[in-house]
Amino acid sequence: SKEFALDTIRIELAKVLPQFSRAKSTPFELRTDLRALTSPTVLFFDTYEKASSEARELVEGLLLADLEQLPGLRIVIGGQSVPDHTKALWSSMVRHFALGPITDSEHWRHYAARHYQDLNRDHVEALTAAAFGIPGPLRLMLQTLAAKLL
């Protein structure tokens, strides 16, 4: 929800958002604190498509819409679906990188070697093909197989 997103920002950034970190603060105080940032601050939003519509509204309607007035803020948004930047007022201020599947099993072998040492090359190649290189499902498949091998 929007309140959960605001509370998360309030807690995680209390040191750099003095007005907003107080109880009963509003998005107005958030905007004021963000405009007054003296050190660069980066906000990461992952799996954006799973966020509530209220949380997405907060990101798009408050943070991105006011991005030009927030020189100390950088926002990184990742997910299967991200805000449409093509028609937005802030479109000239963003870099959009469309990421696709990672179908080269060699990349996944390096990942598996760090996290799932019991998996061999054949395991990784088979699961990469089965998941079409899509990171979310492939990571879960690697994790599941590694747990079954224990």
Side-chain angles (χ1 to χ4, degrees):
S1 74
K2 185 176 181 179
E3 289 307 315
F4 179 76
L6 286 170
D7 286 342
T8 302
I9 292 171
R10 185 177 289 114
I11 292 166
E12 296 294 327
L13 298 175
K15 291 181 182 178
V16 295
L17 303 174
Q19 302 296 320
F20 184 66
S21 63
R22 296 183 309 200
K24 307 252 189 225
S25 60
T26 66
F28 176 78
E29 282 93 6
L30 174 60
R31 183 177 280 127
T32 301
D33 279 350
L34 289 172
R35 287 181 178 174
L37 286 173
T38 57
S39 61
T41 301
V42 180
L43 298 179
F44 289 91
F45 299 95
D46 192 14
T47 56
Y48 192 75
E49 70 280 358
K50 293 182 181 179
S52 69
S53 59
E54 295 88 2
R56 287 192 307 264
E57 180 183 312
L58 170 73
V59 171
E60 294 174 40
L62 177 68
L63 300 176
L64 293 175
D66 209 22
L67 198 55
E68 192 171 28
Q69 303 300 317
L70 309 173
L73 184 66
R74 297 297 179 264
I75 300 172
V76 177
I77 300 173
Q80 298 291 323
S81 166
V82 296
D84 181 9
H85 69 287
T86 57
K87 299 178 185 110
L89 295 173
W90 43 267
S91 65
S92 65
M93 301 187 69
V94 301
R95 290 188 187 148
H96 181 261
F97 302 98
L99 303 176
I102 303 169
T103 56
D104 184 346
S105 64
E106 201 56 32
H107 297 296
W108 288 107
R109 272 194 347 95
H110 292 293
Y111 172 80
R114 284 192 313 268
H115 300 283
Y116 312 109
Q117 293 82 15
D118 294 335
L119 299 182
N120 63 37
R121 177 185 298 271
D122 291 339
H123 293 133
V124 175
E125 286 178 2
L127 293 178
T128 301
F132 304 103
I134 300 171
L138 181 49
R139 187 188 61 77
L140 291 173
M141 292 167 78
L142 291 167
Q143 181 180 19
T144 302
L145 180 58
K148 293 207 181 277
L149 292 176
L150 290 178

